[in-house]
């Protein structure tokens, strides 16, 4: 019965088109897996009928950021690292090794994006060493041999539409940078295969997922339109675009409410704008989204609300460089307060506070939701002190469960319930409702009261939190409003650089006191896990205020040094 209710609400959260296309793609993928060669030949025939003119516009490589974070020359030896996990393939990449087929296959997806090959192409431009061109040609050729259309499970990795989108973008960048250095035979093969993948993508946009995935599909098709100088994809671009702009609020905030994905999506919008310079609607959205990402990151650290970590996708300094290249415009780094659809805070040279009173999710894609309503993160200068716990991986398991759970955030947990019914890797059933009232919003005087209703959905359970910030002091007042006798706990998480010691917050390395913390109830300090990047875990200290009775107000006061 519980399972049936969970599935009902999980499906209820979706847009009807997601359900329709998920069923359609289940049937379609089964058909392609049994007849992949037949469908590939049909795509080949379409390519032969298509008249294209290659347009290797330098705008494709205006965004010069690096993608590969490890030692690039090791890639030539097929020692490849993604998500802080390195695999040595030795003589050649084994695209379907059992190790790669676990869980959500995120490492394998990264391999199939081919973004690392753009960094290889860039090394050729720097050195003119033929070994880099040879590696690109050999890797792409071998990829096609091992990854024909219709490979079993292709929808999870090699011919997955998200992977294709990123690969198309990578290949266009690679060709623009070094395509004229390819052998004629390989160049012809490369361009044909690029077009075939674009055609396949146009027939298989991720309308079953929506969210940031569909934006990536949209960008890839627009790029292919301009690269091939064709109107072939215009209809599909218009069809997908109907689901792109509605993903953004009037403030320009992307509906998944993840600072990391907001940065990734911002890069997509800017790379589309390169070819739509007269699109005023898009330009205005970019300016708003850039400001949002600026306020929800600190130097190159994204704030850890929902699925959000560091060193995955584009970093803020890279976004800033790209934004300036396009618009020749910089935002003033001034003292400011903000409210971005419920992400409320202050950012100055001295401190950076964000209090999350936003809805759980803004649209129909709750896959990256965490139970972080009414949580907060706090930086002193560029040093993060209070943090949410981050995201270790997307595979189902204890670390994925902990990442998304209420207890891994700076919030109150009622009994053993999560705020919303998150389950599996990317699922959510019943969603908590969040509301807030801003009493004062000034740099040295914030006063916000928020409520979250959820937890045990068979009863009416509300967590009320009032956060007051004045100068160097943060006061947090928490009350669990309920007509039950079950108790609650409050969690306060420090980054690994700090400890709780006898009512003080102390920097580990120097033993320097940075703040005092007092609470009206008893507490304990325990060691918990912290995930600053995919694949990395560290120990952090967590203060747990225990045995909070219903309708009892708990006051926590944090006073920072001058």
């Amino acid at each position: 019965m519980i399972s049936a209710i969970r599935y009902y609400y999980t499906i209820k959260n979706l847009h009807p088109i997601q359900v329709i296309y998920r069923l359609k793609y289940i049937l379609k993928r089964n058909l392609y897996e049994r007849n992949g060669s037949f469908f590939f030949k049909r795509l080949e025939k379409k390519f032969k009928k298509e008249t294209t003119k290659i347009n290797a516009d330098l705008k494709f490589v205006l965004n010069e950021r690096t993608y590969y974070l490890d030692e690039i020359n090791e890639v030539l030896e097929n020692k490849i690292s993604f998500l802080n996990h390195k695999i040595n393939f030795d003589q050649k990449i084994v695209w379907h090794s059992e190790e790669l087929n676990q869980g959500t296959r995120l490492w394998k997806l990264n391999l199939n994006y081919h973004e690392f090959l753009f960094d290889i192409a860039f090394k050729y431009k720097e050195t003119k060493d033929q070994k880099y061109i040879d590696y690109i040609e050999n890797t792409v050729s071998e990829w096609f041999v091992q990854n024909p259309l219709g490979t079993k499970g292709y929808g999870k990795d090699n011919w997955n539409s998200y992977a294709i989108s990123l690969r198309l973008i990578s290949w266009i960048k690679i060709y623009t940078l070094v395509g004229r250095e390819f052998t004629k035979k390989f160049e012809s093969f490369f361009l044909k295969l690029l077009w075939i993948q674009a055609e396949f993508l146009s027939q298989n946009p991720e309308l079953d997922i929506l969210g940031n995935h569909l934006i990536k599909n949209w960008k890839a098709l627009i790029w292919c339109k301009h690269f091939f100088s064709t109107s072939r994809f215009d209809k599909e671009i218009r069809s997908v675009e109907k689901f792109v702009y509605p993903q953004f609020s009037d403030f320009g905030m992307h509906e998944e409410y993840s600072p990391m994905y907001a940065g990734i999506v911002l890069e997509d919008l800017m790379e589309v704008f390169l070819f739509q310079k007269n699109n005023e609607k898009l330009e205005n959205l970019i300016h708003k989204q850039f400001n949002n990402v600026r306020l929800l990151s600190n130097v190159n650290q994204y704030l850890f609300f929902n699925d959000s970590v560091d060193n995955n996708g584009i970093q803020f300094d890279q976004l800033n460089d790209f934004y300036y290249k396009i618009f020749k415009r910089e935002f003033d780094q001034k003292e400011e307060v903000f409210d971005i659809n419920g992400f409320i805070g202050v950012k100055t040279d001295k401190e950076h506070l964000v209090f999350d009173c936003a809805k759980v999710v803004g649209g129909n894609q709750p896959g990256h939701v965490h139970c972080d309503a009414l949580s907060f993160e706090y930086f002193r200068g560029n040093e993060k002190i209070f943090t949410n716990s981050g995201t270790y991986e997307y595979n189902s398991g204890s670390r994925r469960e902990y990442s998304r759970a209420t207890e891994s955030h700076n919030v109150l947990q009622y009994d053993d319930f999560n705020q919303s019914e998150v389950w599996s890797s990317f699922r959510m059933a019943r969603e908590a409702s969040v509301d807030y009232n801003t009493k004062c919003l000034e740099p040295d005087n914030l006063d916000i009261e928020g409520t979250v209703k959820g937890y045990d959905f068979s009863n009416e359970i509300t967590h009320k939190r009032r956060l007051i910030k004045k100068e160097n002091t943060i006061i947090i007042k928490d009350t669990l409003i309920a007509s039950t006798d079950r108790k609650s706990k409050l969690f306060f998480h420090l980054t690994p650089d700090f400890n709780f010691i006898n009512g003080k917050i102390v920097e580990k390395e120097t033993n320097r006191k940075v703040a005092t913390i007092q609470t009206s109830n008893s507490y304990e300090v325990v060691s918990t896990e912290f995930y600053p990047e995919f694949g990395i875990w560290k120990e952090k200290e967590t203060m747990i205020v225990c045995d909070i009775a219903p309708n009892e107000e708990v006051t926590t006061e944090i006073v920072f040094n001058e």
Side-chain angles (χ1 to χ4, degrees), residues 322-481:
F322 189 30
Y323 181 83
Y324 184 77
K325 279 185 179 180
I326 298 172
F327 299 108
K328 300 295 185 287
R329 172 176 169 182
E330 292 180 342
F331 273 82
D332 294 332
Q333 301 299 317
K334 59 186 179 181
E335 183 177 276
E336 56 192 308
V337 293
F338 54 88
D339 180 349
I340 309 166
N341 289 114
F343 287 102
I344 307 167
V346 57
K347 188 175 185 182
T348 69
D349 291 337
K350 178 182 173 182
E351 62 185 348
H352 186 187
L353 167 70
V354 177
F355 181 34
D356 178 10
C357 295
K359 289 176 63 177
V360 171
V361 67
N364 298 102
Q365 181 42 267
H368 295 295
V369 160
H370 286 203
C371 294
D372 57 18
L374 306 189
S375 184
F376 71 97
E377 292 204 326
Y378 183 83
F379 293 77
R380 201 71 174 169
N382 297 327
E383 208 170 28
K384 189 195 272 193
I385 298 175
F386 285 95
T387 186
N388 294 316
S389 297
T391 301
Y392 181 79
E393 63 183 350
Y394 287 161
N395 290 343
S396 291
S398 60
R399 283 182 168 151
R400 181 61 176 158
E401 288 173 10
Y402 178 69
S403 290
R404 302 182 80 195
T406 303
E407 66 179 300
S408 73
H409 303 88
N410 295 309
V411 290
L412 178 144
Q413 181 184 32
Y414 167 69
D415 198 37
D416 291 326
F417 291 94
N418 282 323
Q419 293 173 337
S420 297
E421 291 179 337
V422 292
W423 62 282
S424 190
S425 293
F426 299 113
R427 301 288 178 257
M428 182 182 72
R430 283 176 285 194
E431 171 187 348
S433 63
V434 187
D435 200 3
Y436 68 97
N437 175 34
T438 303
K439 298 174 184 291
C440 189
L441 191 58
E442 298 172 0
D444 278 325
N445 190 5
L446 266 66
D447 191 347
I448 305 114
E449 187 171 273
T451 59
V452 55
K453 295 181 181 181
Y455 303 96
D456 177 5
F457 287 86
S458 62
N459 292 292
E460 191 165 318
I461 310 295
T462 301
H463 170 211
K464 181 173 75 172
R465 167 170 280 184
R466 184 175 179 187
L467 186 147
I468 303 164
K469 183 201 163 296
K470 291 189 177 181
E471 296 183 341
N472 295 309
T473 301
I474 297 175
I475 298 170
I476 300 170
K477 298 184 177 187
D478 291 290
T479 308
L480 191 283
I481 303 168

Side-chain angles (χ1 to χ4, degrees), residues 485-502:
D485 58 359
R486 294 185 180 184
K487 296 193 174 181
S488 303
K489 293 176 280 191
L490 269 173
F491 295 86
F492 294 98
H493 301 273
L494 297 181
T495 61
D497 296 329
F498 297 91
N499 287 335
F500 291 109
I501 300 177
N502 299 324

Side-chain angles (χ1 to χ4, degrees), residues 71-264:
E71 173 52 52
I72 194 66
N73 280 318
E74 284 195 348
V75 173
L76 300 182
E77 302 169 14
N78 295 317
K79 296 174 184 174
I80 301 176
S81 178
F82 300 120
L83 311 174
N84 293 295
H85 176 61
K86 183 175 288 185
I87 296 177
N88 183 358
F89 289 106
D90 201 16
Q91 296 300 312
K92 67 178 181 179
I93 297 171
V94 182
W95 293 88
H96 298 287
S97 71
E98 195 56 37
E99 181 182 1
L100 302 185
N101 290 334
Q102 304 303 312
T104 58
R105 307 190 185 190
L106 187 58
W107 201 100
K108 188 177 183 182
L109 280 165
N110 274 266
L111 185 65
N112 275 278
Y113 299 160
H114 289 192
E115 291 175 326
F116 66 103
L117 293 180
F118 176 70
D119 292 290
I120 293 286
F122 212 86
K123 286 297 286 185
Y124 174 79
K125 290 295 286 187
E126 286 180 349
T127 65
K128 301 300 181 185
D129 191 328
Q130 182 63 30
K131 68 183 179 182
Y132 296 110
I133 296 295
D134 293 343
Y135 185 82
I136 293 170
E137 292 193 0
N138 291 336
T139 301
V140 170
S141 299
E142 186 60 31
W143 174 83
F144 180 63
V145 169
Q146 292 192 42
N147 294 278
L149 179 58
T151 315
K152 186 172 176 57
Y154 77 86
K156 296 178 180 179
D157 45 64
N158 53 10
W159 286 76
N160 167 283
S161 291
Y162 187 74
I164 289 174
S165 297
L166 282 149
R167 191 164 57 242
L168 287 169
I169 293 158
S170 299
W171 282 24
I172 289 171
K173 289 186 174 188
I174 290 165
Y175 187 86
T176 302
L177 209 59
V178 301
R180 301 306 179 189
E181 306 299 324
F182 292 157
T183 62
K184 290 299 179 187
K185 181 179 179 181
F186 178 79
E187 181 184 10
S188 176
F189 161 78
F190 184 86
L191 293 172
K192 180 180 80 170
L193 194 51
L194 202 161
W195 190 93
I196 286 171
Q197 289 176 87
E199 178 65 31
F200 180 87
L201 175 63
S202 74
Q203 297 173 18
N204 296 274
E206 291 174 281
L207 291 167
D208 58 327
I209 294 177
L210 301 179
N212 70 85
H213 281 230
L214 200 69
I215 293 172
K216 197 74 74 177
N217 303 163
W218 176 64
K219 178 177 81 170
L221 290 173
I222 289 170
W223 271 38
C224 289
K225 166 187 170 61
H226 289 278
F227 181 74
F228 287 113
S229 304
T230 180
S231 59
R232 162 64 195 88
F233 306 116
D234 286 3
K235 180 181 175 183
E236 289 79 3
I237 290 167
R238 287 194 299 271
S239 176
V240 167
E241 192 171 291
K242 292 175 186 175
F243 296 92
V244 170
Y245 287 105
Q247 292 187 35
F248 298 89
S249 73
D250 291 341
F251 289 92
M253 187 64 189
H254 185 248
E255 66 181 13
E256 292 176 73
Y257 290 164
S258 155
M260 179 187 77
Y261 279 105
I264 290 169

